[in-house]
Amino acid sequence: MHVMVPAFIGVPGGMELMIILAIVILLFGANKLPELARSSGQAIGEFRKGQEEIETEIRGAETSEQVSDEQEAA
C-alpha cells in the first residue's frame, strides 16, 4: 500500500491566516502594526525600484551589444 505525501506545503487558508495575525498582534502589539506595515511597504517599494533599475541596465546592455554586432557586420 502506498501512502501519498504532498510534495509541498500549501498556501495558508483563512483560519491559518487568522492564527498568524493573532500571533503577530501578540508579539508586536496593536500599536506597532501600522508602523510595521508601513516599513514593510517601503521595503517592498525599494526592492521593486532596484529590480526595475537592474532590468533597465540589462536591457541597455543588450541593446548596445546588438548595435555593436550590427556595426561589425556592416
Side-chain angles (χ1 to χ4, degrees), residues 6-44:
F8 61 92
I9 299 173
V11 177
M15 191 59 173
E16 290 89 359
L17 289 175
M18 294 298 289
I19 292 171
I20 292 169
L21 180 62
I23 291 171
V24 168
I25 290 173
L26 289 173
L27 288 175
F28 295 104
N31 296 335
K32 295 282 185 174
L33 286 181
E35 182 181 328
L36 182 65
R38 187 178 307 113
S39 63
S40 297
Q42 289 174 346
I44 291 171

Side-chain angles (χ1 to χ4, degrees), residues 47-61:
F47 177 78
R48 287 184 180 165
K49 182 180 175 184
Q51 182 181 8
E52 289 174 4
E53 289 176 2
I54 292 172
E55 288 175 354
T56 303
E57 289 179 17
I58 291 172
R59 286 189 194 115

